[in-house]
């Protein structure tokens, strides 16, 4: 007989002992059950659940200029599911024209209306289709975040460069007539040999140049203000921020406002937090990403005790399970159950939601995030196979998340914030509806290779 079958056969007996357990003291319970870890809150800040971010693309989405229309057809359902924003790929014309994913930018003001780089439309569509998508998203209550690539450029013509003594591909004369640039605007130049990092051999923009600052964020028709005021983007995802100093993002944000997040690909929490504070921006929580990979694929849930950006600075942490550049975590549904119940701003990858995972389970987790997951976090228990944490509640009653990576059903006594209250599992993975004791303790369970999420009825 399977463990699960034995478990349900004994369910009636367990429930019949409820009155006996309810008369036990906390000390008596912990003598019978393994003690939990300290319930000290990891972060004293509470976060307002603003929603969930959708990364609305993946690498090499279908070419042919129809991607904006594809996303346009989905924004209503995404809004209904509980997303609050979408992140689009780099939207302007790049060197590879209709074949480019946008990370080799040429003309920041060509969204698919000029015949250059071998095409009029971008890989994703036309300017009109992009504007229609943004309008549709706004009508559905969704914000739209632009992917901003300002470390490097591509597609310039060759010119003699006195700073290198060679010809360089640094002569940019886009058909939009806006933000022309030459060797003076790239590294090396008369004021700076290099900044923090070049990428892929592309010409590396010098952000200390007045001409570059004016066209990126200072002028009334700068890239930042054009994206904000003409194209109506609401926020920014900054690509490869390791390549330049954080003051660049800070200046951009001061110029136009809006949400921003930086791609600082590093697992060092202190570095992530330093950058976020210096840039006045959120940052992707790569420390959390690496810890989840070790925890869920390495079969050691104690790795979730590691320090992460959301634990150090939750209001500036964007958590994620995968993205267009990296897809290492295989136990994805457990990872999503983690980021959608913990602090930080969770980002969901398009293909995970639309193609690879159970959408009903994802929608359930999104609902739980938006309705139950608030307040500070306390880790109640962890070992190789089990992890239990409590969100202590802010404008809702909070929750308990129980993740079980073992091959068997697991049960454990834990301390809640609820006294003499009926609770239930909001995932439907357990049919139990136990009553917490007057001392707030209760036994909960989780299925093998699964999770349960508990809160008051």
């Amino acid at each position: 007989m399977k463990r699960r079958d034995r478990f349900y056969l004994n369910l009636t007996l367990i429930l019949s002992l409820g009155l006996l357990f309810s008369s036990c003291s906390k000390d008596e319970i912990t003598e019978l059950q393994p003690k939990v870890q300290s319930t000290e809150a990891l972060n004293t800040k509470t976060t307002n659940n603003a929603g969930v971010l959708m990364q609305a693309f993946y690498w090499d989405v279908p070419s042919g200029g129809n991607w904006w229309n594809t996303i346009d057809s989905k924004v209503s359902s995404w809004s209904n599911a509980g997303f609050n924003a979408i992140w689009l790929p780099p939207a302007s014309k790049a060197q590879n024209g209709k074949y480019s994913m946008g990370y080799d930018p040429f003309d920041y003001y060509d969204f698919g209306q000029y015949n250059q780089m071998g095409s009029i439309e971008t890989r994703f569509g036309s300017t009109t289709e992009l504007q229609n998508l943004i309008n549709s998203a706004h009508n559905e209550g969704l914000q739209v975040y632009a992917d901003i690539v300002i470390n490097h450029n591509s597609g310039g013509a060759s010119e003699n460069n006195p700073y290198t003594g060679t010809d360089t591909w640094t002569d940019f004369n886009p058909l939009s007539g806006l933000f022309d640039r030459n060797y003076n605007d790239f590294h090396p130049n008369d004021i700076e040999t290099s900044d923090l990092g070049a990428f892929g051999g592309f010409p590396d923009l010098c952000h200390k140049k007045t001409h570059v600052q004016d066209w990126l964020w200072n002028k009334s028709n700068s890239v930042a203000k054009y994206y904000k005021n003409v194209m109506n983007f609401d926020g920014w995802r900054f690509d490869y921020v390791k390549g330049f100093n954080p003051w660049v993002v800070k200046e951009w944000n001061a110029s136009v406002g809006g949400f921003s997040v930086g791609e600082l690909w590093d697992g060092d929490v202190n570095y992530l937090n330093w950058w976020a504070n210096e840039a006045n921006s959120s940052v992707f929580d790569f420390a959390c990403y690496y810890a989840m990979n070790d925890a869920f694929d390495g079969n050691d849930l104690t790795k979730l005790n590691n320090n992460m950006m959301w634990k150090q600075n939750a209001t500036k942490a964007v958590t994620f399970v995968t993205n267009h550049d990296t897809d290492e975590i295989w136990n994805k549904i457990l990872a999503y159950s983690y980021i959608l119940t913990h602090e930080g701003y969770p980002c969901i990858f398009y293909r995970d939601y639309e193609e690879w995972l159970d959408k009903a389970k994802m929608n359930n987790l999104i609902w739980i995030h938006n309705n139950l997951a608030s307040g500070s976090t306390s880790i109640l228990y962890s070992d190789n196979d089990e992890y239990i944490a409590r969100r202590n509640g802010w404008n809702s009653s909070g929750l308990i998340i129980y993740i079980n990576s073992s091959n068997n059903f697991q049960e454990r006594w834990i301390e809640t914030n609820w006294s003499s209250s009926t609770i239930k599992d909001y995932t439907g993975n357990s049919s139990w509806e136990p009553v917490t004791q007057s001392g707030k303790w209760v036994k909960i369970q989780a299925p093998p290779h699964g999770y349960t999420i508990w809160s008051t009825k």
Side-chain angles (χ1 to χ4, degrees):
M1 182 181 294
K2 294 181 179 179
R3 177 181 173 89
R4 182 172 181 174
D5 295 332
R6 292 197 304 268
F7 168 78
Y8 281 111
L9 285 173
N10 290 325
L11 180 58
T12 303
L13 176 60
I14 292 171
L15 292 177
S16 70
L17 295 174
L19 290 176
L20 174 61
F21 283 120
S22 67
S23 66
C24 295
S25 68
K26 172 183 170 181
D27 291 337
E28 288 172 319
I29 292 170
T30 54
E31 286 174 1
L32 295 172
Q33 304 295 333
K35 287 189 176 182
V36 299
Q37 294 181 355
S38 170
T39 58
E40 180 182 357
L42 295 169
N43 195 311
T44 57
K45 293 181 180 180
T46 56
T47 53
N48 186 11
N49 297 323
V52 178
L53 173 61
M54 166 63 79
Q55 181 180 352
F57 66 100
Y58 53 92
W59 197 256
D60 284 346
V61 301
S63 58
N66 200 47
W67 190 250
W68 297 147
N69 292 334
T70 297
I71 300 305
D72 197 350
S73 71
K74 296 180 181 296
V75 293
S76 179
S77 64
W78 290 349
S79 176
N80 290 336
F83 289 93
N84 81 303
I86 59 175
W87 154 28
L88 299 183
S92 61
K93 189 68 62 65
Q95 178 185 8
N96 289 316
K98 65 181 180 179
Y99 301 107
S100 178
M101 282 297 296
Y103 290 96
D104 50 343
F106 173 75
D107 188 343
Y108 287 102
Y109 297 84
D110 179 2
F111 297 92
Q113 70 266 41
Y114 297 104
N115 190 356
Q116 56 185 339
M117 298 294 115
S119 69
I120 296 177
E121 290 191 346
T122 68
R123 182 188 192 98
F124 314 113
S126 69
T127 303
T128 298
E129 289 165 343
L130 173 59
Q131 290 174 323
N132 289 341
L133 162 59
I134 294 173
N135 289 336
S136 295
H138 287 163
N139 289 337
E140 294 293 340
L142 296 173
Q143 292 195 328
V144 183
Y145 302 156
D147 203 317
I148 302 297
V149 185
I150 55 174
N151 175 76
H152 51 273
N153 289 168
S154 188
S158 178
E159 62 179 348
N160 180 260
N161 189 331
Y163 299 110
T164 65
T166 62
D167 290 346
T168 55
W169 302 94
T170 48
D171 185 17
F172 287 78
N173 293 284
L175 284 182
S176 66
L178 304 172
F179 197 12
D180 63 304
R181 45 214 186 271
N182 59 34
Y183 59 79
N184 287 298
D185 303 307
F186 298 92
H187 294 110
N189 53 54
D190 59 330
I191 63 172
E192 191 173 54
T193 302
S194 63
D195 57 4
L196 295 184
F199 181 83
F202 295 126
D204 187 52
L205 271 175
C206 178
H207 302 95
K208 288 186 177 179
K209 282 286 186 172
T210 300
H211 181 72
V212 174
Q213 293 179 17
D214 285 346
W215 276 106
L216 283 183
W217 64 79
N218 281 332
K219 293 168 66 74
S220 61
N221 61 343
S222 65
V223 174
K225 291 171 183 171
Y226 193 91
Y227 273 56
K228 177 76 171 180
N229 300 326
V230 177
M231 299 304 294
N232 294 318
F233 282 101
D234 306 288
W236 328 102
R237 179 267 185 188
F238 289 95
D239 181 66
Y240 188 59
V241 298
K242 271 193 171 182
F244 50 91
N245 285 290
W247 65 262
V248 174
V249 172
K250 184 176 183 179
E251 290 290 323
W252 178 295
N253 290 339
S255 173
V256 293
F259 173 83
S260 76
V261 58
E263 182 212 25
L264 185 66
W265 198 318
D266 202 289
D268 185 337
V269 175
N270 292 328
Y271 184 24
L272 294 170
N273 193 38
W274 172 84
W275 185 92
N277 289 327
E278 290 292 312
N280 190 27
S281 172
S282 295
V283 67
F284 284 104
D285 195 346
F286 276 91
C288 178
Y289 171 77
Y290 289 126
M292 289 192 299
N293 187 44
D294 291 342
F296 297 121
D297 292 350
N299 299 314
D300 184 3
L301 299 192
T302 65
K303 297 297 185 181
L304 299 178
N305 297 333
N306 292 358
N307 197 10
M308 307 176 196
M309 180 62 186
W310 73 258
K311 296 182 181 182
Q312 193 155 319
N313 195 345
T315 59
K316 291 185 177 179
V318 176
T319 53
F320 67 102
V321 173
T322 190
N323 60 33
H324 61 292
D325 284 327
T326 184
D327 190 11
E328 295 182 12
I329 298 174
W330 290 100
N331 251 320
K332 286 184 176 180
I333 195 64
L334 296 186
Y336 277 114
S337 77
Y338 180 83
I339 69 168
L340 286 161
T341 53
H342 285 65
E343 292 170 74
Y345 183 15
C347 179
I348 293 178
F349 184 52
Y350 177 92
R351 301 197 83 171
D352 285 342
Y353 184 81
E354 289 290 341
E355 300 176 14
W356 292 340
L357 300 180
D358 186 325
K359 187 178 289 189
K361 290 182 178 179
M362 295 295 289
N363 284 340
N364 171 251
L365 287 170
I366 294 168
W367 184 92
I368 287 169
H369 172 269
N370 291 341
N371 291 277
L372 300 175
S374 66
S376 61
T377 303
S378 301
I379 295 179
L380 303 181
Y381 183 85
S382 66
D383 61 25
N384 286 355
D385 296 327
E386 298 173 69
Y387 172 87
I388 307 174
R390 183 178 69 219
R391 291 297 298 277
N392 293 305
W394 181 37
N395 55 2
S396 68
S397 59
L399 59 79
I400 304 286
I401 169 77
Y402 190 170
I403 300 174
N404 172 21
S405 65
S406 76
N407 296 323
N408 303 306
F409 255 87
Q410 299 291 348
E411 306 166 9
R412 195 163 295 279
W413 283 94
I414 50 93
E415 185 179 16
T416 73
N417 286 328
W418 314 301
S419 178
S420 304
S421 300
T422 301
I423 65 171
K424 73 172 187 176
D425 167 34
Y426 277 81
T427 71
N429 292 328
S430 172
S431 60
W432 272 14
E433 292 192 1
V435 177
T436 64
Q437 299 175 357
S438 59
K440 301 181 180 180
W441 285 70
V442 72
K443 181 188 280 189
I444 58 175
Q445 62 175 197
H449 303 291
Y451 58 91
T452 50
I453 301 170
W454 306 80
S455 190
T456 52
K457 289 187 66 177

